Amino acid sequence: IEQLPDLHNHFSDLNLEAHMYASQWFLTLFTAKFPLCMVFHIIDLLLSEGLNIIFHVALALLKTSKEDLLQADFEGALKFFRVQLPKRYRAEENARRLMEQACNIKVPTKKLKKYEKEYQTMRESQLQQEDPMDRYKRENRRLQEASMRLEQENDDLAHELVTSKIALRNDLDQAEDKADVLNKELLLTKQRLVETEEEKRKQEEETAQLKEVFRKQLEKAEYEIKKTTAIIAEYKQICSQLSTRLEKQQAASKEELEVVKGKMMACKHCSDIFSKEGALKAAAVSREDQGIESDDEKDSLKKQLREMELELAQTKLQLVEAKCKIQELEHQRGALMNEIQAAKNSWFSKTLNSIKTATGTQPLQPPQATQPPKEST
């Protein structure tokens, strides 16, 4: 009456008593209809301030809904308390403002106790003075109203139950469909994993075989290099020996020529012969014979030298071919290792995306496979 006199007069005209709408608030601490965010604030204030905060919250609800309640009739007011008022405080901000307004309402404890005593005294006097027939009629009307309210609540609950069952069934169907899709994806992922592991095993076997081939080729190339090195050393040694031999033969020929000349000059007859044209011819003949023998030996040595140079050139060519082949094999090995790494990265990204899809998260963009380095000649 003191806080909201006009609303009190309107409720009196409608014969709308407080127990018809507030009893559920007080008995359930506003948990029956109001959202949990508002109930949590009320319980916090209850533990902090005491039981009087319940009356403060009730007065704050009536104050905030005063304009709507003044325009409503009996049924409209009950429906407003049951449906529209709880929906208004689903927002966290509205519930917070309501709590602030409830904390600002001041209702002295002594005055509440005084109202309680006056109400009990008034009820006792009314019961003593009231005609039993009127009391029964009023109680009957109150029970009818309560019955109508309960029937309406029952209808609302039945509608909510049917709606919730339908929604639950739809959610269950969607969950089953999603589970089937996930199971199929899981099977595909497992199959891909098996295939990838098999491919990985084959690639590892191929890599091992290539390594073995590379090792053999490398050993062969090293053997060819050693052989070529030995041939070159032997060739150098032969050339050195031939040069030494040629120098010795030239020195021996000169010595023999000097000895022959000395003997001819010692002989008088031979000296006469050599003093004339015959001496020149003989000397020329001896020189020609010696030159022919020297030319034959030089030709033989040159021929052997050409053969050795040809053999050396062939050996160098084989060495170059072996090096080229080794370089080509190393390049093939590098390309194969890059392909194996790219296959591993691709398999890992596919597996990760499949797992994330199976768990319901959004897949990330698959990482791009590393490009193999450009081939170098």
Side-chain angles (χ1 to χ4, degrees), residues 26 35-36 53 59 69 165 168 171 204 217 224 231 252 277 313 332:
F26 298 151
L36 289 177
I53 198 64
L59 288 174
L69 292 172
K165 283 185 177 180
L168 182 62
D171 293 340
E204 289 177 352
Q217 292 291 338
E224 293 292 338
I231 292 172
E277 294 179 359
Q332 291 178 0

Tab-separated table of all heavy atoms in Angstrom, residues 26 35-36 53 59 69 165 168 171 204 217 224 231 252 277 313 332:
chain	number	residue	atom	x	y	z
A	26	PHE	N	8.178	-16.787	-3.449
A	26	PHE	CA	8.781	-16.950	-2.131
A	26	PHE	C	9.108	-18.408	-1.825
A	26	PHE	O	10.120	-18.700	-1.193
A	26	PHE	CB	7.850	-16.386	-1.064
A	26	PHE	CG	7.584	-14.908	-1.217
A	26	PHE	CD1	6.394	-14.347	-0.777
A	26	PHE	CD2	8.517	-14.083	-1.822
A	26	PHE	CE1	6.149	-12.992	-0.920
A	26	PHE	CE2	8.282	-12.728	-1.976
A	26	PHE	CZ	7.089	-12.175	-1.527
A	35	PRO	N	14.917	-16.883	-15.193
A	35	PRO	CA	16.166	-17.476	-15.696
A	35	PRO	C	17.231	-17.586	-14.603
A	35	PRO	O	17.206	-16.877	-13.601
A	35	PRO	CB	16.601	-16.514	-16.810
A	35	PRO	CG	15.916	-15.232	-16.491
A	35	PRO	CD	14.627	-15.578	-15.835
A	36	LEU	N	18.176	-18.478	-14.843
A	36	LEU	CA	19.188	-18.770	-13.821
A	36	LEU	C	20.103	-17.580	-13.555
A	36	LEU	O	20.584	-17.414	-12.430
A	36	LEU	CB	20.025	-19.974	-14.258
A	36	LEU	CG	19.303	-21.336	-14.220
A	36	LEU	CD1	20.231	-22.417	-14.746
A	36	LEU	CD2	18.856	-21.661	-12.803
A	53	ILE	N	15.658	-9.450	1.449
A	53	ILE	CA	15.927	-9.154	0.049
A	53	ILE	C	14.866	-9.771	-0.862
A	53	ILE	O	14.629	-9.290	-1.972
A	53	ILE	CB	17.345	-9.664	-0.332
A	53	ILE	CG1	17.822	-8.992	-1.635
A	53	ILE	CG2	17.356	-11.172	-0.491
A	53	ILE	CD1	18.000	-7.516	-1.519
A	59	LEU	N	9.049	-6.363	-4.702
A	59	LEU	CA	8.605	-4.975	-4.926
A	59	LEU	C	9.246	-4.404	-6.200
A	59	LEU	O	8.591	-3.657	-6.942
A	59	LEU	CB	8.985	-4.117	-3.717
A	59	LEU	CG	8.166	-4.380	-2.448
A	59	LEU	CD1	8.731	-3.578	-1.288
A	59	LEU	CD2	6.698	-4.011	-2.669
A	69	LEU	N	0.741	-3.949	-15.646
A	69	LEU	CA	-0.256	-4.549	-14.747
A	69	LEU	C	-1.485	-3.664	-14.586
A	69	LEU	O	-2.597	-4.168	-14.425
A	69	LEU	CB	0.386	-4.823	-13.383
A	69	LEU	CG	1.454	-5.935	-13.373
A	69	LEU	CD1	2.158	-5.978	-12.025
A	69	LEU	CD2	0.826	-7.279	-13.674
A	165	LYS	N	10.357	-32.864	-26.864
A	165	LYS	CA	10.525	-34.212	-27.417
A	165	LYS	C	10.810	-34.170	-28.912
A	165	LYS	O	11.682	-34.894	-29.413
A	165	LYS	CB	9.268	-35.046	-27.141
A	165	LYS	CG	9.153	-35.548	-25.710
A	165	LYS	CD	7.954	-36.447	-25.557
A	165	LYS	CE	7.863	-37.015	-24.133
A	165	LYS	NZ	6.697	-37.903	-23.978
A	168	LEU	N	14.239	-32.870	-29.345
A	168	LEU	CA	15.204	-33.891	-28.948
A	168	LEU	C	15.311	-34.988	-30.002
A	168	LEU	O	16.403	-35.487	-30.301
A	168	LEU	CB	14.785	-34.481	-27.594
A	168	LEU	CG	15.720	-35.537	-26.992
A	168	LEU	CD1	17.077	-34.934	-26.726
A	168	LEU	CD2	15.125	-36.106	-25.711
A	171	ASP	N	17.267	-33.608	-32.861
A	171	ASP	CA	18.690	-33.572	-32.500
A	171	ASP	C	19.284	-34.976	-32.516
A	171	ASP	O	20.436	-35.172	-32.948
A	171	ASP	CB	18.869	-32.943	-31.120
A	171	ASP	CG	18.491	-31.472	-31.115
A	171	ASP	OD1	18.467	-30.871	-32.201
A	171	ASP	OD2	18.206	-30.935	-30.024
A	204	GLU	N	60.306	-46.908	-48.936
A	204	GLU	CA	61.500	-47.201	-48.149
A	204	GLU	C	62.303	-48.342	-48.768
A	204	GLU	O	63.550	-48.308	-48.796
A	204	GLU	CB	61.097	-47.552	-46.714
A	204	GLU	CG	60.593	-46.351	-45.915
A	204	GLU	CD	60.142	-46.746	-44.528
A	204	GLU	OE1	60.075	-47.984	-44.265
A	204	GLU	OE2	59.876	-45.849	-43.710
A	217	GLN	N	77.663	-48.443	-57.429
A	217	GLN	CA	78.192	-47.574	-58.472
A	217	GLN	C	79.354	-46.731	-57.955
A	217	GLN	O	80.352	-46.503	-58.654
A	217	GLN	CB	77.074	-46.656	-59.004
A	217	GLN	CG	75.986	-47.382	-59.767
A	217	GLN	CD	76.482	-47.925	-61.093
A	217	GLN	OE1	77.471	-47.451	-61.640
A	217	GLN	NE2	75.803	-48.941	-61.612
A	224	GLU	N	87.491	-47.671	-60.542
A	224	GLU	CA	87.942	-47.173	-61.842
A	224	GLU	C	88.942	-46.033	-61.664
A	224	GLU	O	89.940	-45.925	-62.394
A	224	GLU	CB	86.739	-46.690	-62.659
A	224	GLU	CG	85.784	-47.795	-63.085
A	224	GLU	CD	86.425	-48.721	-64.112
A	224	GLU	OE1	87.384	-48.291	-64.787
A	224	GLU	OE2	85.965	-49.873	-64.235
A	231	ILE	N	97.277	-46.595	-63.834
A	231	ILE	CA	97.704	-46.585	-65.243
A	231	ILE	C	98.485	-45.326	-65.550
A	231	ILE	O	99.530	-45.355	-66.244
A	231	ILE	CB	96.479	-46.725	-66.158
A	231	ILE	CG1	95.858	-48.131	-66.008
A	231	ILE	CG2	96.846	-46.456	-67.608
A	231	ILE	CD1	94.548	-48.292	-66.730
A	252	ALA	N	125.899	-43.908	-76.088
A	252	ALA	CA	126.702	-45.072	-76.538
A	252	ALA	C	127.029	-44.959	-78.028
A	252	ALA	O	128.137	-45.305	-78.474
A	252	ALA	CB	125.923	-46.357	-76.238
A	277	GLU	N	137.155	-38.498	-101.834
A	277	GLU	CA	135.704	-38.424	-101.883
A	277	GLU	C	135.057	-39.599	-101.197
A	277	GLU	O	133.996	-39.494	-100.630
A	277	GLU	CB	135.238	-38.382	-103.352
A	277	GLU	CG	135.677	-37.120	-104.056
A	277	GLU	CD	135.231	-37.128	-105.486
A	277	GLU	OE1	134.604	-38.137	-105.897
A	277	GLU	OE2	135.461	-36.137	-106.187
A	313	ALA	N	94.140	-40.991	-72.847
A	313	ALA	CA	92.921	-40.234	-73.189
A	313	ALA	C	91.670	-41.072	-72.943
A	313	ALA	O	90.657	-40.584	-72.424
A	313	ALA	CB	93.004	-39.789	-74.653
A	332	GLN	N	69.590	-38.138	-58.846
A	332	GLN	CA	68.389	-38.979	-58.742
A	332	GLN	C	68.066	-39.309	-57.294
A	332	GLN	O	66.902	-39.324	-56.888
A	332	GLN	CB	68.597	-40.270	-59.539
A	332	GLN	CG	68.653	-40.056	-61.040
A	332	GLN	CD	68.907	-41.346	-61.782
A	332	GLN	OE1	69.049	-42.400	-61.165
A	332	GLN	NE2	68.988	-41.260	-63.104
